[in-house]
Amino acid sequence: MNRAAPAPLPTRDLVAALVVVAIWGVNFVVMKWGLRYFTPFQLGAARYLCAALPLVFFVRPPAVHWRWVLLYGLFQGVGQFGMVFLALHVGLTAALASVLVQTQVFFTALWAFLLLHERPGRPLVIGMGLAAIGLACFGLHFTSPGASAGDVTVLGVGLALCGASSWAASNIVVRRAQQQSPGYDPLAFVGWSCLVPILPFIALSAWADADAARWLQPATWAALPLAGWGAALFLGWVATIGGYGLWTLLLTRHPANRVAPFSLGVPVVGLTAGTLVLGEVISPWQWAGVAFVVMALACVVLGPRWVAARGRRG
């Protein structure tokens, strides 16, 4: 007996996923801007301070066990963005970061299979294969003769991959929280979890940043340019509350291995933004990677609808 094909995402959830893709693609350029005014740990504290305040004064704590809020805040906050901010600081372009972070799709599918017993459908498997070829093309750029890798370091790439694995862990936390507490408020979950990374980031800044004490002076806050405030507010309100609020909502409605592949569209937006805004150059190998990522996204998004249509005709 053939296994039933997974139902396609409802239109509203599909639109929400594409909005998240656009926000997170631009997000990497904003991170680069923010790191002009903050160190990585300071930017992390500023991001989550903006995300948590004033939201937590207007929403009740989510109806989930506190450990899921704590784990999500640590994995998604300190783990994912602590690593990504460090990667962008020590040597990684916004465009390449938008690609490497999407390896979370593979980590998520692996952990969802091992821990949640979620089996991937055929469109997802094909899409992940195409995405793997695309990521390989991005990597081949740095082995080609004459390729410039001055803005990229091995440490930066490694930190980005660590950030991706932490993002995958946060996806699994969301699914486990949903299994134990169905119907919880995703906005409240994301908002209250934003309180978790603030103190760890402040502690890391106090330990690692030589200029951390300057933030105790009101003159430092007053002298911060509008671009610095804008970057922190965008990362906190739009990318975190808006983006992760929608992302978490999708994860509460659908299996993790159905939602995570939509992030494959983020490199397309990230590469475009990096090129137009930061002047980053895209090589032929990188364009090949973009093409495979677009095909992977089309397969993941349209594949279930095509399979469902074939099932109805059959």
Side-chain angles (χ1 to χ4, degrees), residues 79-92:
Q80 179 185 346
F81 284 102
M83 295 294 180
V84 172
F85 289 161
L86 280 172
L88 291 170
H89 178 69
V90 302
L92 196 64

Side-chain angles (χ1 to χ4, degrees), residues 212-280:
R214 71 188 179 96
W215 293 100
L216 299 177
Q217 303 172 7
T220 299
W221 296 87
L224 185 66
L226 288 177
W229 286 112
L233 291 173
F234 180 92
L235 294 174
W237 291 350
V238 180
T240 302
I241 296 301
Y244 280 93
L246 287 174
W247 186 257
T248 304
L249 177 63
L250 292 170
L251 286 171
T252 62
R253 293 177 175 174
H254 307 283
N257 59 17
R258 290 285 311 284
V259 176
F262 280 93
S263 64
L264 293 171
V266 174
V268 179
V269 180
L271 284 164
T272 302
T275 301
L276 296 179
V277 179
L278 300 179
E280 297 173 349

